PDB file of all heavy atoms in Angstrom:
ATOM      1  N   ASP K   1     105.050 106.893  89.096  1.00 97.00           N
ATOM      2  CA  ASP K   1     104.334 107.930  88.359  1.00 97.00           C
ATOM      3  C   ASP K   1     103.301 107.339  87.408  1.00 97.00           C
ATOM      4  O   ASP K   1     102.659 108.074  86.657  1.00 97.00           O
ATOM      5  CB  ASP K   1     105.310 108.825  87.596  1.00 97.00           C
ATOM      6  CG  ASP K   1     106.329 108.035  86.775  1.00 97.00           C
ATOM      7  OD1 ASP K   1     106.469 106.815  86.989  1.00 97.00           O
ATOM      8  OD2 ASP K   1     107.008 108.646  85.928  1.00 97.00           O
ATOM      9  N   PHE K   2     103.111 106.037  87.428  1.00 97.00           N
ATOM     10  CA  PHE K   2     102.123 105.364  86.603  1.00 97.00           C
ATOM     11  C   PHE K   2     100.889 105.063  87.462  1.00 97.00           C
ATOM     12  O   PHE K   2     100.996 104.382  88.484  1.00 97.00           O
ATOM     13  CB  PHE K   2     102.656 104.031  86.072  1.00 97.00           C
ATOM     14  CG  PHE K   2     103.678 104.129  84.984  1.00 97.00           C
ATOM     15  CD1 PHE K   2     104.484 105.244  84.837  1.00 97.00           C
ATOM     16  CD2 PHE K   2     103.855 103.070  84.106  1.00 97.00           C
ATOM     17  CE1 PHE K   2     105.436 105.324  83.841  1.00 97.00           C
ATOM     18  CE2 PHE K   2     104.795 103.132  83.090  1.00 97.00           C
ATOM     19  CZ  PHE K   2     105.589 104.269  82.955  1.00 97.00           C
ATOM     20  N   PRO K   3      99.695 105.519  87.093  1.00 97.00           N
ATOM     21  CA  PRO K   3      98.494 105.152  87.859  1.00 97.00           C
ATOM     22  C   PRO K   3      98.341 103.644  88.001  1.00 97.00           C
ATOM     23  O   PRO K   3      97.952 103.146  89.071  1.00 97.00           O
ATOM     24  CB  PRO K   3      97.356 105.740  87.026  1.00 97.00           C
ATOM     25  CG  PRO K   3      97.979 106.874  86.279  1.00 97.00           C
ATOM     26  CD  PRO K   3      99.380 106.429  85.971  1.00 97.00           C
ATOM     27  N   GLU K   4      98.663 102.912  86.948  1.00 96.00           N
ATOM     28  CA  GLU K   4      98.477 101.464  86.991  1.00 96.00           C
ATOM     29  C   GLU K   4      99.384 100.785  88.008  1.00 96.00           C
ATOM     30  O   GLU K   4      99.057  99.699  88.511  1.00 96.00           O
ATOM     31  CB  GLU K   4      98.674 100.855  85.599  1.00 96.00           C
ATOM     32  CG  GLU K   4      99.997 101.181  84.925  1.00 96.00           C
ATOM     33  CD  GLU K   4      99.976 102.410  84.052  1.00 96.00           C
ATOM     34  OE1 GLU K   4      99.321 103.404  84.405  1.00 96.00           O
ATOM     35  OE2 GLU K   4     100.633 102.384  82.995  1.00 96.00           O
ATOM     36  N   THR K   5     100.517 101.391  88.330  1.00 97.00           N
ATOM     37  CA  THR K   5     101.391 100.832  89.358  1.00 97.00           C
ATOM     38  C   THR K   5     100.688 100.822  90.707  1.00 97.00           C
ATOM     39  O   THR K   5     100.783  99.860  91.480  1.00 97.00           O
ATOM     40  CB  THR K   5     102.691 101.655  89.458  1.00 97.00           C
ATOM     41  OG1 THR K   5     103.401 101.553  88.234  1.00 97.00           O
ATOM     42  CG2 THR K   5     103.571 101.162  90.604  1.00 97.00           C
ATOM     43  N   HIS K   6      99.950 101.881  91.003  1.00 97.00           N
ATOM     44  CA  HIS K   6      99.275 101.961  92.298  1.00 97.00           C
ATOM     45  C   HIS K   6      98.077 101.024  92.365  1.00 97.00           C
ATOM     46  O   HIS K   6      97.682 100.592  93.468  1.00 97.00           O
ATOM     47  CB  HIS K   6      98.892 103.408  92.576  1.00 97.00           C
ATOM     48  CG  HIS K   6     100.100 104.304  92.683  1.00 97.00           C
ATOM     49  ND1 HIS K   6     100.826 104.446  93.839  1.00 97.00           N
ATOM     50  CD2 HIS K   6     100.734 105.058  91.751  1.00 97.00           C
ATOM     51  CE1 HIS K   6     101.841 105.266  93.621  1.00 97.00           C
ATOM     52  NE2 HIS K   6     101.820 105.640  92.359  1.00 97.00           N
ATOM     53  N   LEU K   7      97.514 100.664  91.213  1.00 97.00           N
ATOM     54  CA  LEU K   7      96.514  99.588  91.213  1.00 97.00           C
ATOM     55  C   LEU K   7      97.150  98.281  91.675  1.00 97.00           C
ATOM     56  O   LEU K   7      96.560  97.531  92.461  1.00 97.00           O
ATOM     57  CB  LEU K   7      95.930  99.414  89.811  1.00 97.00           C
ATOM     58  CG  LEU K   7      94.940 100.462  89.322  1.00 97.00           C
ATOM     59  CD1 LEU K   7      94.607 100.225  87.856  1.00 97.00           C
ATOM     60  CD2 LEU K   7      93.668 100.442  90.164  1.00 97.00           C
ATOM     61  N   VAL K   8      98.363  98.009  91.174  1.00 94.00           N
ATOM     62  CA  VAL K   8      99.088  96.794  91.590  1.00 94.00           C
ATOM     63  C   VAL K   8      99.391  96.848  93.082  1.00 94.00           C
ATOM     64  O   VAL K   8      99.200  95.872  93.817  1.00 94.00           O
ATOM     65  CB  VAL K   8     100.385  96.643  90.773  1.00 94.00           C
ATOM     66  CG1 VAL K   8     101.234  95.496  91.323  1.00 94.00           C
ATOM     67  CG2 VAL K   8     100.065  96.416  89.304  1.00 94.00           C
ATOM     68  N   LEU K   9      99.860  98.006  93.550  1.00 95.00           N
ATOM     69  CA  LEU K   9     100.198  98.136  94.963  1.00 95.00           C
ATOM     70  C   LEU K   9      98.958  98.008  95.842  1.00 95.00           C
ATOM     71  O   LEU K   9      99.017  97.448  96.942  1.00 95.00           O
ATOM     72  CB  LEU K   9     100.889  99.474  95.206  1.00 95.00           C
ATOM     73  CG  LEU K   9     102.297  99.603  94.626  1.00 95.00           C
ATOM     74  CD1 LEU K   9     102.804 101.024  94.771  1.00 95.00           C
ATOM     75  CD2 LEU K   9     103.245  98.621  95.291  1.00 95.00           C
ATOM     76  N   GLY K  10      97.833  98.529  95.359  1.00 96.00           N
ATOM     77  CA  GLY K  10      96.595  98.360  96.103  1.00 96.00           C
ATOM     78  C   GLY K  10      96.199  96.906  96.212  1.00 96.00           C
ATOM     79  O   GLY K  10      95.794  96.428  97.292  1.00 96.00           O
ATOM     80  N   GLY K  11      96.321  96.170  95.107  1.00 94.00           N
ATOM     81  CA  GLY K  11      96.030  94.741  95.156  1.00 94.00           C
ATOM     82  C   GLY K  11      96.983  93.989  96.069  1.00 94.00           C
ATOM     83  O   GLY K  11      96.585  93.066  96.791  1.00 94.00           O
ATOM     84  N   TRP K  12      98.249  94.402  96.035  1.00 90.00           N
ATOM     85  CA  TRP K  12      99.258  93.804  96.898  1.00 90.00           C
ATOM     86  C   TRP K  12      98.895  94.029  98.369  1.00 90.00           C
ATOM     87  O   TRP K  12      98.927  93.108  99.198  1.00 90.00           O
ATOM     88  CB  TRP K  12     100.613  94.421  96.574  1.00 90.00           C
ATOM     89  CG  TRP K  12     101.793  93.880  97.311  1.00 90.00           C
ATOM     90  CD1 TRP K  12     101.854  92.778  98.102  1.00 90.00           C
ATOM     91  CD2 TRP K  12     103.119  94.415  97.298  1.00 90.00           C
ATOM     92  NE1 TRP K  12     103.113  92.598  98.588  1.00 90.00           N
ATOM     93  CE2 TRP K  12     103.915  93.586  98.107  1.00 90.00           C
ATOM     94  CE3 TRP K  12     103.689  95.516  96.652  1.00 90.00           C
ATOM     95  CZ2 TRP K  12     105.272  93.842  98.316  1.00 90.00           C
ATOM     96  CZ3 TRP K  12     105.048  95.758  96.865  1.00 90.00           C
ATOM     97  CH2 TRP K  12     105.819  94.931  97.684  1.00 90.00           C
ATOM     98  N   ALA K  13      98.502  95.258  98.716  1.00 94.00           N
ATOM     99  CA  ALA K  13      98.131  95.571 100.091  1.00 94.00           C
ATOM    100  C   ALA K  13      96.904  94.773 100.521  1.00 94.00           C
ATOM    101  O   ALA K  13      96.818  94.309 101.678  1.00 94.00           O
ATOM    102  CB  ALA K  13      97.872  97.067 100.229  1.00 94.00           C
ATOM    103  N   LEU K  14      95.942  94.579  99.615  1.00 95.00           N
ATOM    104  CA  LEU K  14      94.777  93.775  99.955  1.00 95.00           C
ATOM    105  C   LEU K  14      95.158  92.325 100.213  1.00 95.00           C
ATOM    106  O   LEU K  14      94.619  91.677 101.131  1.00 95.00           O
ATOM    107  CB  LEU K  14      93.741  93.858  98.831  1.00 95.00           C
ATOM    108  CG  LEU K  14      93.016  95.204  98.681  1.00 95.00           C
ATOM    109  CD1 LEU K  14      92.179  95.218  97.413  1.00 95.00           C
ATOM    110  CD2 LEU K  14      92.152  95.475  99.907  1.00 95.00           C
ATOM    111  N   THR K  15      96.090  91.811  99.400  1.00 89.00           N
ATOM    112  CA  THR K  15      96.558  90.443  99.623  1.00 89.00           C
ATOM    113  C   THR K  15      97.178  90.294 101.007  1.00 89.00           C
ATOM    114  O   THR K  15      97.020  89.265 101.682  1.00 89.00           O
ATOM    115  CB  THR K  15      97.598  90.058  98.548  1.00 89.00           C
ATOM    116  OG1 THR K  15      96.987  90.138  97.264  1.00 89.00           O
ATOM    117  CG2 THR K  15      98.123  88.646  98.770  1.00 89.00           C
ATOM    118  N   LEU K  16      97.867  91.340 101.458  1.00 89.00           N
ATOM    119  CA  LEU K  16      98.505  91.332 102.784  1.00 89.00           C
ATOM    120  C   LEU K  16      97.539  91.775 103.879  1.00 89.00           C
ATOM    121  O   LEU K  16      97.956  91.932 105.038  1.00 89.00           O
ATOM    122  CB  LEU K  16      99.730  92.255 102.763  1.00 89.00           C
ATOM    123  CG  LEU K  16     100.850  91.842 101.812  1.00 89.00           C
ATOM    124  CD1 LEU K  16     101.953  92.897 101.785  1.00 89.00           C
ATOM    125  CD2 LEU K  16     101.422  90.485 102.194  1.00 89.00           C
ATOM    126  N   ARG K  17      96.267  91.991 103.511  1.00 93.00           N
ATOM    127  CA  ARG K  17      95.222  92.413 104.457  1.00 93.00           C
ATOM    128  C   ARG K  17      95.580  93.730 105.140  1.00 93.00           C
ATOM    129  O   ARG K  17      95.323  93.934 106.325  1.00 93.00           O
ATOM    130  CB  ARG K  17      94.950  91.317 105.494  1.00 93.00           C
ATOM    131  CG  ARG K  17      94.340  90.067 104.897  1.00 93.00           C
ATOM    132  CD  ARG K  17      94.056  89.011 105.955  1.00 93.00           C
ATOM    133  NE  ARG K  17      93.275  87.912 105.431  1.00 93.00           N
ATOM    134  CZ  ARG K  17      93.781  86.887 104.742  1.00 93.00           C
ATOM    135  NH1 ARG K  17      95.076  86.843 104.514  1.00 93.00           N
ATOM    136  NH2 ARG K  17      93.001  85.923 104.287  1.00 93.00           N
ATOM    137  N   ASN K  18      96.165  94.622 104.374  1.00 96.00           N
ATOM    138  CA  ASN K  18      96.531  95.940 104.882  1.00 96.00           C
ATOM    139  C   ASN K  18      95.606  96.968 104.231  1.00 96.00           C
ATOM    140  O   ASN K  18      95.942  97.600 103.229  1.00 96.00           O
ATOM    141  CB  ASN K  18      97.997  96.245 104.562  1.00 96.00           C
ATOM    142  CG  ASN K  18      98.497  97.511 105.233  1.00 96.00           C
ATOM    143  OD1 ASN K  18      97.704  98.364 105.630  1.00 96.00           O
ATOM    144  ND2 ASN K  18      99.808  97.638 105.358  1.00 96.00           N
ATOM    145  N   ALA K  19      94.402  97.118 104.800  1.00 98.00           N
ATOM    146  CA  ALA K  19      93.398  97.985 104.196  1.00 98.00           C
ATOM    147  C   ALA K  19      93.808  99.456 104.169  1.00 98.00           C
ATOM    148  O   ALA K  19      93.536 100.146 103.182  1.00 98.00           O
ATOM    149  CB  ALA K  19      92.056  97.813 104.917  1.00 98.00           C
ATOM    150  N   PRO K  20      94.450  99.999 105.213  1.00 98.00           N
ATOM    151  CA  PRO K  20      94.871 101.408 105.115  1.00 98.00           C
ATOM    152  C   PRO K  20      95.847 101.659 103.964  1.00 98.00           C
ATOM    153  O   PRO K  20      95.722 102.655 103.242  1.00 98.00           O
ATOM    154  CB  PRO K  20      95.516 101.669 106.483  1.00 98.00           C
ATOM    155  CG  PRO K  20      94.845 100.704 107.404  1.00 98.00           C
ATOM    156  CD  PRO K  20      94.635  99.471 106.583  1.00 98.00           C
ATOM    157  N   ALA K  21      96.833 100.767 103.797  1.00 97.00           N
ATOM    158  CA  ALA K  21      97.771 100.934 102.680  1.00 97.00           C
ATOM    159  C   ALA K  21      97.053 100.793 101.353  1.00 97.00           C
ATOM    160  O   ALA K  21      97.357 101.508 100.389  1.00 97.00           O
ATOM    161  CB  ALA K  21      98.907  99.919 102.790  1.00 97.00           C
ATOM    162  N   ALA K  22      96.084  99.894 101.282  1.00 98.00           N
ATOM    163  CA  ALA K  22      95.320  99.718 100.044  1.00 98.00           C
ATOM    164  C   ALA K  22      94.541 100.990  99.710  1.00 98.00           C
ATOM    165  O   ALA K  22      94.501 101.429  98.546  1.00 98.00           O
ATOM    166  CB  ALA K  22      94.375  98.534 100.175  1.00 98.00           C
ATOM    167  N   GLU K  23      93.932 101.612 100.735  1.00 98.00           N
ATOM    168  CA  GLU K  23      93.192 102.837 100.468  1.00 98.00           C
ATOM    169  C   GLU K  23      94.109 103.944  99.961  1.00 98.00           C
ATOM    170  O   GLU K  23      93.770 104.673  99.018  1.00 98.00           O
ATOM    171  CB  GLU K  23      92.473 103.314 101.725  1.00 98.00           C
ATOM    172  CG  GLU K  23      91.623 104.545 101.470  1.00 98.00           C
ATOM    173  CD  GLU K  23      90.872 105.043 102.696  1.00 98.00           C
ATOM    174  OE1 GLU K  23      90.955 104.393 103.762  1.00 98.00           O
ATOM    175  OE2 GLU K  23      90.209 106.097 102.584  1.00 98.00           O
ATOM    176  N   ARG K  24      95.300 104.057 100.543  1.00 98.00           N
ATOM    177  CA  ARG K  24      96.222 105.091 100.100  1.00 98.00           C
ATOM    178  C   ARG K  24      96.692 104.834  98.665  1.00 98.00           C
ATOM    179  O   ARG K  24      96.894 105.763  97.875  1.00 98.00           O
ATOM    180  CB  ARG K  24      97.410 105.167 101.066  1.00 98.00           C
ATOM    181  CG  ARG K  24      97.039 105.725 102.431  1.00 98.00           C
ATOM    182  CD  ARG K  24      98.285 106.056 103.252  1.00 98.00           C
ATOM    183  NE  ARG K  24      98.998 104.882 103.697  1.00 98.00           N
ATOM    184  CZ  ARG K  24      98.746 104.228 104.842  1.00 98.00           C
ATOM    185  NH1 ARG K  24      97.771 104.636 105.637  1.00 98.00           N
ATOM    186  NH2 ARG K  24      99.474 103.175 105.176  1.00 98.00           N
TER     187      ARG K  24
END
């Protein structure tokens, strides 16, 4: 429920080269 958590998850997805998950 924290916006900043999804920033972390987006960065995590980019590190894993998972662009669809990063966009979500």
Side-chain angles (χ1 to χ4, degrees):
D1 49 346
F2 287 25
E4 55 269 38
T5 296
H6 297 276
L7 285 173
V8 172
L9 290 173
W12 183 10
L14 289 172
T15 300
L16 297 175
R17 294 181 170 82
N18 188 340
E23 183 179 357
R24 290 192 289 272

